[in-house]
Amino acid sequence: MSDDETDPELLALLRQHLEGKLGVDADQEEETGVLSGAEYVYNNGIDVAIDMRATKNAAESIYQQMQQKSYSTATWSEHELHPTTKDESTVNFIFTMDLLNFSFWSDLPDDERFAIEHRGRRWTGYWSLVAALQRALDEGIPITDPHFWHDEDECNLKALKHIFRSCTDEEMPLLPERLACLRESAQVLYDRYNCSITRLISVANGSAARLANILARDFSCFRDEHSFPGSSKPIRFLKRAQILCADLWACFQGESYGRFTDIDKITMFADYRIPQILISLGALYCSPSVVSAIEARRCLESGGPWEVQLRGGQPMISGFIWSAG
């Protein structure tokens, strides 16, 4: 079998998983539609493909490293910036963190890009967001409280510029968009959930897939879905909605607010970083036109066919890795 030939056994296992035929009654379980949408993109896209042999090798490598590093849900709370308490305030922190967890890209050198100084260190990327939230709480600013988001006098662009103030000349990207996410989320929580994030979680009744679907249904900021040629349904990725489920599960180690009976429904989170890793592992490869665009540092259209194919390959690969494991 050549490296780029489809492995029928892996495909059969993945399809069984997609169709709920691994000994579980599919009628009793909620589905996010992420894997089925990714499968459609995989079967119909022409610019991004998956290398089956490299995917098998990646599965072995990931498994070995997880064993060597004793990786578990407890690892989540070991990072100095993640909350260590297990209460409602931590739920609010995680919701805020994942609501605003997007777009940290910068073309500037590392020492000039947006960064947060906190606890004697400089943080960039995702960790700059977490550091800024922790710094705000240390300063007495209730940035993780939906009541604060709802108050236009207290929570406004000026306030966010202070909360996310950088130690460099580059500001936090997309601050107006982040403010809009906070404002919309506060309104939804007020209207539907008595301004309580824990009440929102309780509605999912212990289902990660249901929680992801509720987030996508009620909050446009979590509605990560796009059209794709030939598909009558939107292709769903639900990146941050799924991350929220995974963070709750990891933080609370599968108990309390993180107890989900179907956490295996959560897929790899389709973003713009993971394709770099998958390409370096040889698991994902692109057509010459896509490679040329990436090498020329051209911005790919958000929701465009190339981006959807790059993102769609990620859940599929995670499904193959799950099947191989």
Side-chain angles (χ1 to χ4, degrees):
M1 179 183 294
S2 66
D3 289 356
D4 58 351
E5 186 177 349
T6 300
D7 186 322
E9 293 182 1
L10 271 180
L11 275 176
L13 278 171
L14 181 59
R15 286 199 173 96
Q16 286 177 351
H17 180 57
L18 291 171
E19 296 167 4
K21 293 181 179 178
L22 293 179
V24 178
D25 185 351
D27 292 337
Q28 297 179 358
E29 292 195 342
E30 186 141 351
E31 299 288 344
T32 64
V34 172
L35 275 177
S36 58
E39 184 180 32
Y40 182 88
V41 173
Y42 171 74
N43 288 333
N44 293 276
I46 60 173
D47 291 295
V48 178
I50 296 172
D51 185 302
M52 295 297 180
R53 183 169 297 176
T55 297
K56 283 185 175 180
N57 293 337
E60 293 177 3
S61 175
I62 291 170
Y63 178 78
Q64 291 172 3
Q65 291 187 48
M66 289 182 69
Q67 294 299 307
Q68 292 170 3
K69 296 181 180 180
S70 301
Y71 190 85
S72 70
T73 53
T75 307
W76 192 94
S77 297
E78 291 174 1
H79 195 282
E80 63 181 283
L81 289 180
H82 277 161
T84 56
T85 57
K86 311 295 182 185
D87 54 23
E88 185 173 353
S89 68
T90 296
V91 173
N92 290 355
F93 188 97
I94 291 173
F95 185 93
T96 310
M97 178 179 74
D98 291 333
L99 177 67
L100 302 179
N101 180 13
F102 60 89
S103 189
F104 303 103
W105 185 264
S106 175
D107 286 323
L108 296 177
D110 288 347
D111 60 344
E112 297 179 22
R113 66 182 303 185
F114 168 76
I116 296 290
E117 284 187 351
H118 184 57
R119 298 178 182 174
R121 291 184 58 183
R122 174 179 287 204
W123 306 92
T124 59
Y126 160 77
W127 293 113
S128 67
L129 167 66
V130 186
L133 296 179
Q134 291 285 17
R135 182 178 65 183
L137 293 175
D138 289 347
E139 294 172 348
I141 303 172
I143 182 58
T144 60
D145 186 343
H147 294 92
F148 175 73
W149 311 339
H150 198 263
D151 189 334
E152 296 185 14
D153 293 329
E154 293 293 328
C155 184
N156 48 44
L157 193 56
K158 181 180 179 181
L160 287 197
K161 286 184 177 181
H162 172 73
I163 291 168
F164 294 106
R165 63 192 182 276
S166 176
C167 60
T168 69
D169 291 335
E170 185 177 42
E171 286 191 343
M172 173 74 136
L174 302 178
L175 270 181
E177 288 79 2
R178 296 180 200 277
L179 176 60
C181 286
L182 292 171
R183 191 83 75 226
E184 182 221 26
S185 297
Q187 193 62 54
V188 172
L189 289 167
Y190 261 96
D191 293 344
R192 293 175 177 263
Y193 302 103
N194 197 29
C195 207
S196 170
I197 296 170
T198 55
R199 175 168 293 191
L200 161 67
I201 293 170
S202 70
V203 172
N205 196 28
S207 168
R210 187 174 299 119
L211 179 56
N213 287 335
I214 290 171
L215 290 167
R217 181 195 69 195
D218 292 349
F219 301 83
S220 64
C221 293
F222 284 111
R223 197 173 303 132
D224 181 13
E225 53 188 33
H226 306 276
S227 61
F228 190 74
S231 176
S232 60
K233 298 179 180 179
I235 304 300
R236 311 185 87 204
F237 295 123
L238 308 188
K239 172 194 166 184
R240 286 181 292 128
Q242 292 196 99
I243 289 177
L244 175 57
C245 298
D247 280 343
L248 288 170
W249 175 71
C251 174
F252 290 92
Q253 297 188 49
E255 302 294 336
S256 182
Y257 298 114
R259 187 186 69 82
F260 297 115
T261 59
D262 59 350
I263 193 63
D264 62 317
K265 298 289 185 180
I266 300 304
T267 70
M268 183 185 290
F269 314 125
D271 66 1
Y272 58 85
R273 286 293 190 187
I274 293 177
Q276 297 172 341
I277 299 171
L278 295 177
I279 290 171
S280 70
L281 291 172
L284 196 69
Y285 59 90
C286 307
S287 67
S289 55
V290 175
V291 171
S292 176
I294 293 173
E295 290 178 346
R297 301 179 67 84
R298 286 168 46 196
C299 288
L300 303 187
E301 178 189 359
S302 177
W306 285 358
E307 190 210 35
V308 170
Q309 288 178 75
L310 282 168
R311 298 186 72 196
Q314 298 169 55
M316 282 298 291
I317 286 178
S318 73
F320 286 132
I321 288 175
W322 174 88
S323 300

